[in-house]
Amino acid sequence: MVQAYILIQTEVGKASTVAETISSVPGVIRAEDVTGPYDVIVRAQADTVDELGRMVVAKIQQVEGITRTLTCPVVHL
């Protein structure tokens, strides 16, 4: 199982709508709107890194109002 934080920038005023929409994407554990340089932070999981990448590109980045994403895989050192 691979987990990651996905940091999302949105159009002005779209953070709560984006977070709510992403919450229903399969594999998303949690999506919250936040303040700072990013507008939404998502915790997601998938069976493989490839599946995680497909989720981000095919499902999350397609949500209306998103302008940029940054995916940060969780590592266990």
Side-chain angles (χ1 to χ4, degrees):
M1 184 72 56
V2 178
Q3 292 191 345
Y5 288 98
I6 304 162
L7 311 177
I8 299 173
Q9 292 177 336
T10 69
E11 295 172 4
V12 174
K14 300 281 187 172
S16 61
T17 303
V18 166
E20 184 178 326
T21 302
I22 290 175
S23 292
S24 65
V25 172
V28 170
I29 299 168
R30 187 172 200 133
E32 297 182 295
D33 43 324
V34 297
T35 61
Y38 294 95
D39 304 304
V40 177
I41 297 179
V42 174
R43 176 83 181 233
Q45 67 182 14
D47 289 332
T48 66
V49 172
D50 289 340
E51 285 182 25
L52 180 67
R54 282 192 288 276
M55 177 197 325
V56 171
V57 172
K59 301 207 186 313
I60 292 176
Q61 289 182 349
Q62 301 306 313
V63 172
E64 186 176 340
I66 292 178
T67 58
R68 181 174 294 194
T69 65
L70 174 66
T71 303
C72 304
V74 174
V75 296
H76 302 282
L77 302 175

